[in-house]
Amino acid sequence: MTIYNQKQQEIAGIISSNAKVSHWKNWRWQLQHSVRDIDIFEKLLGIKFAAGERKQLDETIKKFPLSITPYYLSLIDTENYKNDPIYKQAFPSISELQVGNCEMRDPLDEDKDSPVPGITHRYPDRVLFQVCGVCSMYCRHCTRKRKVGDVDVIPSKEEIAMGIEYIRNTPVIRDVLLSGGDPFLLSDENIDWILTEIKKIDSVEVVRIGTRTPVVLPYRITDDLVNILKKHHPLWVNTHFNHPREITASSKEALRKLADAGIPLGNQTVLLAGINDHPIIIKKLVHKLVQNRVRPYYLYQCDLSEGLKHFRTPVGRGIEIMESLIGHTSGFAVPSYVIDAPGGGGKIRVMPQYLISWSHDKVVLRNFEGVITTYQEPETYENFFGNINIDDSGLLSMFEGAEDYKAIGIEKLLSDLNETIALVPEKTERIERRDNA
Ligand SMILES: *Cc1c(COP(=O)(O)O)cnc(C)c1O
Ligand code: SF4
């Protein structure tokens, strides 16, 4: 396997007559020569769209712009491009303009859970921090499609500083997830600065970076970048491979560098109709990921964002895929399947059912083969640590910070010490009737 193959050489040659391997492997060259219009795209792949289709494609990219790195484009199988998983992720489909009636610009209400620009504070102890509005490629399935292209800017240092200030003033935040856009499109200096500033905050225990560069711009993972990242452990990186064909010599090299720097790697995949919605494809993908020291983290149900209708699969398809993974392959190769709740409820894990029944002293389970088995509950059980809410069980003296623990949500219902016996939505008709009586 080579990093620079015949096809890549040809593409580079069409883009610029004096292009060399060193250009191809330079991430800034790749970005400067990203394909942003259909004429060049046709020329590079040696294809031609029919006039009618072309007109609709032009309409589509006016609403949702096009941008593909030459590297990612070189992975398209030109012979069969219409069915190609790389093509479908990178090149617009005229279906994007058909807005279904349940689709929304901001289905996850990220804009509403935002205390300061760039920060989404949705979960108790962690935040999403959008530090860069730019991406190396505009993925057609992007959930933040509303933002892609129109805020193609890097937030100012002042804006980022405001986000950091929020984190500093909110000590419950122990985990900061840098996202975007793609944080790795910032310069090395800016990445270093952000990580240095966040590290100064005592309450932050880990930082994670979400990036698609290993997939669409693997040359961004330079030795210089990795040397900077190494200084800021504990640092985790999550990337976004959707198809086994995306794992190439170049992306493997990028992953190797990150893993060698001691960075735990995770991967988030979006389940996409016609791209990866088959057990065989996902299984191949997770196997290739773990071979490259990447732990599959999430398999996402496609969000209800505008323009994604043609990518959505039924939830049942996702469960079917999970059924084909759990038990069938290494536990650490199995991601969690999640639906990001419309309206801002956060990620919800969904799974096939394994606990099929229970009695007061036994549970009935089934395994991946269909074996039905029982687990006998213990005859006696002393709840040594006491209830979920901290009491005087001794936990307080065992470790620092135990006194801050407070049960939230369903956890509260399980706690005997908490007085909550039901969670009731506000303003139901029934409750309003009571109030009016
Ligand atoms: C996904 C997400 C996180 C991180 O969630 P984990 O389940 O911890 O990976 C945090 N904040 C927001 C807004 C998110 O969407
Ligand atoms: S890299 Fe991520 S944020 Fe950027 S377009 Fe792709 S999916 Fe969206």
Side-chain angles (χ1 to χ4, degrees):
M1 271 209 278
T2 53
I3 299 253
Y4 190 59
N5 61 30
Q6 183 67 33
K7 189 159 155 208
Q8 297 177 333
Q9 207 167 347
E10 274 166 32
I11 290 175
I14 300 174
I15 287 173
S16 144
S17 53
N18 60 359
K20 299 188 188 67
V21 191
S22 57
H23 290 130
W24 184 266
K25 288 166 71 176
N26 179 314
W27 67 280
R28 294 201 183 269
W29 185 93
Q30 286 278 340
L31 285 181
Q32 271 155 18
H33 295 94
S34 279
V35 176
R36 289 168 181 267
D37 84 43
I38 300 177
D39 285 333
I40 302 173
F41 184 84
E42 285 181 325
K43 203 163 123 195
L44 289 174
L45 285 187
I47 59 176
K48 193 91 193 148
F49 296 102
E53 189 179 9
R54 173 60 196 261
K55 197 160 160 272
Q56 286 180 290
L57 287 172
D58 285 332
E59 288 289 305
T60 312
I61 65 170
K62 250 186 249 156
K63 183 161 183 199
F64 301 118
L66 160 78
S67 180
I68 315 174
T69 56
Y71 160 78
Y72 197 68
L73 183 131
S74 77
L75 307 183
I76 297 175
D77 173 8
T78 11
E79 301 294 302
N80 186 20
Y81 71 90
K82 291 257 156 158
N83 294 319
D84 185 86
I86 310 290
Y87 173 87
K88 287 183 184 172
Q89 288 183 65
F91 196 77
S93 152
I94 52 178
S95 312
E96 289 175 33
L97 292 182
Q98 302 164 6
V99 177
N101 51 15
C102 57
E103 280 155 34
M104 300 164 262
R105 272 179 61 75
D106 178 19
L108 309 180
D109 272 0
E110 286 184 333
D111 296 347
K112 286 187 199 150
D113 276 338
S114 177
V116 293
I119 296 259
T120 305
H121 192 173
R122 164 157 306 153
Y123 295 104
D125 66 344
R126 56 208 187 279
V127 288
L128 183 84
F129 188 6
Q130 285 165 260
V131 292
C132 178
V134 187
C135 288
S136 13
M137 179 180 102
Y138 298 154
C139 310
R140 304 321 296 181
H141 58 271
C142 183
T143 191
R144 305 206 181 102
K145 227 176 158 110
R146 68 188 188 281
K147 290 193 170 166
V148 159
D150 66 28
V151 282
D152 215 1
V153 286
I154 295 182
S156 67
K157 219 165 173 161
E158 288 70 41
E159 280 172 279
I160 296 180
M162 272 170 64
I164 294 173
E165 197 50 33
Y166 176 79
I167 298 168
R168 196 185 333 272
N169 294 331
T170 318
V172 288
I173 300 168
R174 42 160 291 285
D175 171 8
V176 176
L177 201 173
L178 302 179
S179 167
D182 196 320
F184 280 175
L185 287 207
L186 297 173
S187 66
D188 289 358
E189 293 69 37
N190 277 331
I191 293 172
D192 197 16
W193 171 70
I194 294 171
L195 292 174
T196 307
E197 288 306 304
I198 294 178
K199 207 174 169 188
K200 285 185 198 156
I201 305 170
D202 285 339
S203 41
V204 175
E205 297 171 5
V206 278
V207 177
R208 311 186 240 178
I209 298 180
T211 176
R212 206 175 186 208
T213 55
V215 188
V216 296
L217 186 66
Y219 313 119
R220 174 64 185 102
I221 311 302
T222 58
D223 293 334
D224 285 347
L225 175 64
V226 161
N227 284 332
I228 288 170
L229 299 177
K230 257 204 272 213
K231 295 191 300 180
H232 300 285
H233 279 309
L235 178 71
W236 296 55
V237 167
N238 260 335
T239 183
H240 177 176
F241 285 91
N242 287 329
H243 195 279
R245 283 253 314 279
E246 293 171 333
I247 299 180
T248 64
S250 301
S251 56
K252 284 181 182 173
E253 178 62 7
L255 297 173
R256 183 194 64 73
K257 283 186 186 179
L258 292 167
D260 282 352
I263 300 170
L265 299 173
N267 184 69
Q268 330 207 86
T269 296
V270 185
L271 190 57
L272 296 166
I275 293 177
N276 61 9
D277 55 336
H278 193 286
I280 294 181
I281 302 174
I282 296 290
K283 203 180 275 179
K284 187 81 196 164
L285 173 65
V286 297
H287 286 166
K288 283 194 163 196
L289 287 168
V290 296
Q291 260 182 303
N292 289 284
R293 294 183 277 174
V294 183
R295 168 90 154 84
Y297 181 46
Y298 281 146
L299 175 66
Y300 280 94
Q301 175 65 11
C302 184
D303 286 329
L304 294 172
S305 297
E306 244 177 61
L308 301 188
K309 197 166 90 179
H310 58 299
F311 284 132
R312 287 173 52 205
T313 63
V315 172
R317 191 59 168 161
I319 294 189
E320 193 179 352
I321 289 172
M322 293 306 290
E323 183 75 64
S324 77
L325 294 175
I326 298 170
H328 298 269
T329 193
S330 325
F332 64 85
V334 181
S336 298
Y337 179 38
V338 290
I339 304 180
D340 217 335
K347 296 174 190 72
I348 300 172
R349 286 178 201 227
V350 277
M351 285 254 279
Q353 297 296 340
Y354 292 95
L355 187 57
I356 56 179
S357 195
W358 59 91
S359 70
H360 71 285
D361 63 353
K362 235 185 244 182
V363 294
V364 182
L365 308 144
R366 63 97 175 176
N367 82 343
F368 71 103
E369 301 164 305
V371 168
I372 295 186
T373 185
T374 52
Y375 176 83
Q376 180 75 45
E377 302 273 37
E379 269 162 38
T380 58
Y381 169 60
E382 186 202 348
N383 186 355
F384 177 75
F385 289 111
N387 204 264
I388 279 176
N389 265 3
I390 293 296
D391 54 8
D392 55 359
S393 65
L395 264 188
L396 281 180
S397 58
M398 261 184 230
F399 67 95
E400 224 185 306
E403 67 278 6
D404 296 334
Y405 194 84
K406 81 174 182 288
I408 292 174
I410 308 292
E411 200 187 5
K412 244 176 7 194
L413 299 181
L414 295 175
S415 159
D416 293 336
L417 297 179
N418 194 292
E419 280 162 18
T420 315
I421 54 163
L423 299 177
V424 182
E426 264 177 60
K427 296 202 183 102
T428 63
E429 275 184 38
R430 181 169 63 88
I431 301 292
E432 285 197 338
R433 249 194 322 269
R434 277 191 201 167
D435 291 347
N436 292 338

